[in-house]
């Protein structure tokens, strides 16, 4: 192994036993996080091995586990599983609800048999509702939730576009991690375990930073605001000012760059760097970056592209070093991303010696502490490699536990009740991680500047931009640049369990709220740096925004036709083709959400570790590193790795049986890629002669004749409406859904999704009663809550009073513009 951790520091989850029955990517990524954090994860595999071993990156996904081979239909092996669960702290499953019921993995039976066990069930659609027993393929969820529609401009044309980054799985995985850790924290009080549920639908709903409320306002007041749901119009002309700030262009020597000059001062600095500031004095460009005419926007956009193309990559890199207010990232493939200088500097990439595969390069642990990965990454096990020792473990004497009355006084209503987090951050990527904890009962106090977090004003309708990230929080507006403001901060720190810090490298130290300073006030404080690039290193001081992080990490290239473009295509872009990366700026699913989910898990890991007597210093997650984690099934590399499946040329899917097809009134997504799913599909389509063609008789024939199969299925699906296909095929247990024709953020607010349980009703001082995303977890014993957002400084006076300020002192702070 190329890197190692501090062996003197105990891993945060050391001694925790996790039984992993998962067979999907979501389950694997959840248990990977637990294994990376030091838990003893026991991978239960069928004799032929886990289906996860078909993933090209399985050595990264399944690392640091022990494997036991069990036949869960054999009584003797079920007894072994029972022995493992008797000794386990956590169980993770990804079975569909009917299978959970059949195997006795209900909340009632699990709590009766294993009272201290925390059992996490990760499903595609939840365990209740009309779609609960649908197949749980990632693409089915993203298609039905509107993600494919939201990302339609990833490729030319108005049609929905297949998205292959596993956003839903990663969202559900970290929802499960957070539910598990919250339940373990609650178990410290009650002595009892419980069942925790998460699903891919609410998991994918966590990513969007602000469009949820934008869509809500557009539908509430359709005549008040003009909707611009597409980044580019049908002629390929930019419709949004963001297309200037988030420009994609090639250098003189053909390297694609993603600029991210989102803040007004950054855009101004970039225009000056391009030598275009003087041109803006021409009345022709009055109002820039808001230009009213499509031809004007297109003209200015092409001018910027041309200016970028005047410099080589080396010249641009020199520019970024000289001018810290101008930044861009190269588009890298998932493999290339692991060569990023910042990741190398932070030891975020490890090479593990596998006994069969040789060196395996992969991302290190998502969370780092003390400048190192949390644990030394170990090779993935062979199938059943530890069966003998684990069978012996299953039959050994069970651990002694002290019975605890789960109804005893002091047991909390919410799993995180009594936990207080102080948030020092802006926008979404870090702060939404703390928002997730409010749904679990944590108290999150957000310190804002007197003018408020910038995200509050990012949209035309006041407060709509920040409404989602502010859910459940208490806002105190304080000027931390004053001595009096810092005194307020220090008093708050004394009563907090954790601090979340999200500013660029050096900012916290300059103002005096770095970890060392705050631990002098509260030595047991959990302090998480959830930053863009890192706390030090070559890129640490650069601005980090979702588009640039997507480019740098390989997330963007995974889903874009840009990966197929070369320098020779630059002229086409300059002469009028739409930006092949327009869809990358759509908030539906992007790097901000990836980072937020990772930050939420890291916060809870630190809080639970402290409860176990382990204080993790220098706890760090970064947006860039988190984005490499979502791609671990693709960026794990070794000699002989099987080819990573690539989206087809039309951007419809990964093959004829995992693909979008046009129906009579829209689109459907078919997901029947496994050999045993062919017969049910044929039965469902029995009235169509095309499906019985002998060229499709077996898997190999279907592979060889994939183009013919696409043509046959295209002809078939065009004969009925999309909802009819969904009903017909799902009745035969074939994966098929109608592809939503609404943006994801509005789709999930509709009655259909609300009645299915994916949204909750909240009441806001700004938006009155409205629907918000439901909490990402539900618990069999504990409650969760779904609060609305807060207004700027809504809790200032109450919080100041709570930490000892009298009415006169509060008035003085307000008079001096220190508090607001």
């Amino acid at each position: 192994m190329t890197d190692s951790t501090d062996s003197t520091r105990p891993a945060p989850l050391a001694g925790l036993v996790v039984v992993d029955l998962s067979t999907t990517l979501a389950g694997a990524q959840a248990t990977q996080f637990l294994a990376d954090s030091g838990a003893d994860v026991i991978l239960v595999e069928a004799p032929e091995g886990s289906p996860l071993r078909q993933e090209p990156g399985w050595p990264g996904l399944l690392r640091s586990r022990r494997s036991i081979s069990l036949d869960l239909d054999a009584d003797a092996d079920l007894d072994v599983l029972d022995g493992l669960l008797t000794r386990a702290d956590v169980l993770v499953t990804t079975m569909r609800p009917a299978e959970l019921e059949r195997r006795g993995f209900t909340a009632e039976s699990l709590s009766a048999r294993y009272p201290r066990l925390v059992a996490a069930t990760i499903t595609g659609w939840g365990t209740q509702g009309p779609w609960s027993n649908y197949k749980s393929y990632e693409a089915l969820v993203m298609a039905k939730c509107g993600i494919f529609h939201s990302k339609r401009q990833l490729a030319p044309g108005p049609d929905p576009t297949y998205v292959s980054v596993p956003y839903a799985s990663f969202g559900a995985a970290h929802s499960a991690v957070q539910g598990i850790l919250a339940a373990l924290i609650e178990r410290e009080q009650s002595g009892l375990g419980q069942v925790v549920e998460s699903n891919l639908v609410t998991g994918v709903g966590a990513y969007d930073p602000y469009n949820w409320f934008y869509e809500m306002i557009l539908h509430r007041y359709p005549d008040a605001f003009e909707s611009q749901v597409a980044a580019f119009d049908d002629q390929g002309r930019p419709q949004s000012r963001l297309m200037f700030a988030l420009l994609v262009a090639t250098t003189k020597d053909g390297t694609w760059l993603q600029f991210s000059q989102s803040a007004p001062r950054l855009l101004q600095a970039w225009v000056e760097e391009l030598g275009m500031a003087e041109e803006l004095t021409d009345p022709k460009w009055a109002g820039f970056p808001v230009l009213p005419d499509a031809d004007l926007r297109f003209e200015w956009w092409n001018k910027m592209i041309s200016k970028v193309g005047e410099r080589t990559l080396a010249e641009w890199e020199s520019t970024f070093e000289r001018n810290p207010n101008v930044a861009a990232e190269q588009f890298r493939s998932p493999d290339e991303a692991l060569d990023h200088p910042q990741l190398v500097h932070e030891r975020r990439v490890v090479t593990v010696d596998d006994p069969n595969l040789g060196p395996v390069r992969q991302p290190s642990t998502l969370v780092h502490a003390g400048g190192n990965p949390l644990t030394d990454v170990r090779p993935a096990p062979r199938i059943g490699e530890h069966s003998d020792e684990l069978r012996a473990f299953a039959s050994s004497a069970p651990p002694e536990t002290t019975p605890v009355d789960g109804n005893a006084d002091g047991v909390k209503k919410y799993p995180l009740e009594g936990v207080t987090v102080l948030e020092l951050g802006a926008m979404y990527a870090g702060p939404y991680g703390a928002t997730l904890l409010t749904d679990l009962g944590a108290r999150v106090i957000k310190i804002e500047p007197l003018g408020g977090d910038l995200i509050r004003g990012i949209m035309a309708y006041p407060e709509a931009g920040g409404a989602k990230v502010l859910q459940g929080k208490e806002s105190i507006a304080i000027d931390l640049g004053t001595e009096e403001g810092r005194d307020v901060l220090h008093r708050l720190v004394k009563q907090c369990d954790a601090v979340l810090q999200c500013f660029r490298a050096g900012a916290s130290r300059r103002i005096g709220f770095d970890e060392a300073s705050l631990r002098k006030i509260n030595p047991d404080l959990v302090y998480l740096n959830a930053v863009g690039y890192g706390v030090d290193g070559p890129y640490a001081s650069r601005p980090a925004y979702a588009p640039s992080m997507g480019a740098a990490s390989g997330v963007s290239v995974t889903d874009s036709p840009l990966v197929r473009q070369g320098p020779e295509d630059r002229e086409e872009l300059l002469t009028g083709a739409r930006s092949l990366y327009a869809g990358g700026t759509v908030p539906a699913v992007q790097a901000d959400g990836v980072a937020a989910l990772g930050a939420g898990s890291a916060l809870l890991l630190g809080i639970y570790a402290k409860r176990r007597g382990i204080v993790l210093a220098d706890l760090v997650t970064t947006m860039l590193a988190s984005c490499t984690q979502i791609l671990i099934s693709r960026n794990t590399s070794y000699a002989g790795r099987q080819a990573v499946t690539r989206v087809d040329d039309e951007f419809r899917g990964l093959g004829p049986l995992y693909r979008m097809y046009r129906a009579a009134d829209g689109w459907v997504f078919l997901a029947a890629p496994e050999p045993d799913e062919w017969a049910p599909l044929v039965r469902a389509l029995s009235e169509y002669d095309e499906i019985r063609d002998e060229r499709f008789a077996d898997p190999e024939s279907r592979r060889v004749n994939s183009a013919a199969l696409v043509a046959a299925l295209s002809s078939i699906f065009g004969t009925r409406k999309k909802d009819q296909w969904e009903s017909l095929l799902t009745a035969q247990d074939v994966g098929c859904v109608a592809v939503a024709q609404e943006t994801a953020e509005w789709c999930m607010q509709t009655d259909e999704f609300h009645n299915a349980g994916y949204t909750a009703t909240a009441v806001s001082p700004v938006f009155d009663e409205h629907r918000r995303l439901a909490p990402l977890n539900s618990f069999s014993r504990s409650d969760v809550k779904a609060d609305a957002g807060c207004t700027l400084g809504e809790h200032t006076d109450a919080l100041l009073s709570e930490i000892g300020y009298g009415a006169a002192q509060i008035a003085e702070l307000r008079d001096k513009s220190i508090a607001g």
Side-chain angles (χ1 to χ4, degrees), residues 448-472:
E448 299 192 65
L450 298 183
D453 189 329
L454 288 175
I455 201 169
R456 289 183 180 272
I458 202 169
M459 309 192 72
Y461 191 95
E463 298 292 338
K468 185 179 178 186
V469 77
L470 295 165
Q471 288 168 168

Side-chain angles (χ1 to χ4, degrees), residues 545-758:
Y545 292 95
S548 55
M549 292 297 96
S553 64
V555 164
S556 295
V557 167
T558 298
D559 275 330
S560 176
L562 185 62
V563 74
R564 296 191 176 90
Q565 305 301 309
E568 67 278 6
D569 297 294
R570 181 172 171 273
E571 288 305 314
E572 180 187 358
L573 185 62
L574 288 174
T575 54
R578 79 178 61 210
S579 167
L580 295 177
Y581 243 99
T585 65
V586 176
V589 283
Q590 35 61 40
D592 279 342
V594 177
L597 287 159
S601 296
L603 263 178
L604 276 172
L605 181 68
I607 292 167
Y608 180 56
K610 189 181 80 168
R611 300 289 179 96
R612 307 181 82 211
I614 302 169
V615 177
L616 299 171
D618 301 316
L619 203 61
V620 179
T621 64
T622 74
M623 194 187 307
L624 178 58
S626 296
C627 286
T628 67
Q629 289 288 329
I630 197 174
L631 295 176
I632 196 168
S633 64
R634 304 177 192 196
N635 60 23
T636 297
S637 59
Y638 50 94
R641 182 184 69 180
Q642 69 184 78
V644 177
T645 306
R646 294 287 298 280
V647 65
D648 60 35
D649 289 341
E650 295 180 286
F651 275 71
R652 300 286 177 251
L654 301 181
L657 298 175
Y658 200 77
R659 187 185 191 277
M660 273 185 286
Y661 289 94
R662 192 184 294 276
D665 63 340
W667 294 84
V668 295
F669 194 92
L670 171 68
E674 295 300 320
D676 62 0
E677 294 174 310
W678 176 252
L681 176 62
V682 172
R683 283 196 300 272
L685 303 179
S686 59
E687 66 181 89
Y688 297 94
D689 293 337
E690 298 99 310
I691 200 67
R692 292 188 294 276
D693 191 311
E694 63 181 15
R695 291 177 296 172
F696 313 142
D698 57 69
E700 178 59 20
S701 298
R702 293 193 287 274
R703 186 190 67 79
V704 172
N705 296 291
S706 60
L709 182 53
V710 167
L713 289 170
S714 296
S715 174
I716 291 170
F717 280 113
T719 64
R720 301 189 191 211
K721 294 183 176 180
K722 58 184 181 179
D723 290 335
Q724 292 175 321
W725 283 121
E726 180 174 326
S727 297
L728 176 65
L729 269 66
T730 55
Q732 295 289 334
D733 199 27
V734 175
C736 180
V737 298
V739 178
Q741 293 175 270
E742 297 272 7
T743 64
E745 298 82 15
W746 177 248
C747 185
M748 295 186 70
Q749 295 182 60
T750 60
D751 289 346
E752 185 180 32
F753 277 74
H754 183 70
N755 295 336
Y758 302 120

Side-chain angles (χ1 to χ4, degrees), residues 110-122:
L110 287 172
S111 63
R113 289 157 57 193
Y114 318 108
R116 288 183 54 83
L117 183 70
V118 172
T121 65
I122 308 173

Side-chain angles (χ1 to χ4, degrees), residues 514-571:
D514 57 296
E515 182 172 358
S517 299
L518 298 190
R519 278 211 167 145
K520 291 177 181 177
I521 300 166
N522 184 346
D524 293 328
L525 194 67
V526 173
Y527 190 101
L528 174 65
N529 287 288
V531 292
Y533 283 102
V535 294
D536 59 16
Y539 283 61
S541 62
R542 294 192 184 187
Y545 292 95
S548 55
M549 292 297 96
S553 64
V555 164
S556 295
V557 167
T558 298
D559 275 330
S560 176
L562 185 62
V563 74
R564 296 191 176 90
Q565 305 301 309
E568 67 278 6
D569 297 294
R570 181 172 171 273
E571 288 305 314

Side-chain angles (χ1 to χ4, degrees), residues 479-512:
D479 181 0
L480 293 180
T482 65
E483 184 177 345
E484 296 94 329
R486 289 190 290 274
D487 182 63
V488 172
L489 168 66
H490 295 162
R491 293 197 198 189
L492 287 170
V493 165
K494 289 180 181 178
Q495 65 180 39
C496 290
D497 299 281
V499 166
L500 173 66
Q501 189 284 127
C502 310
F503 295 107
R504 272 195 264 174
S508 61
R509 189 165 50 252
R510 287 193 301 272
I511 301 175

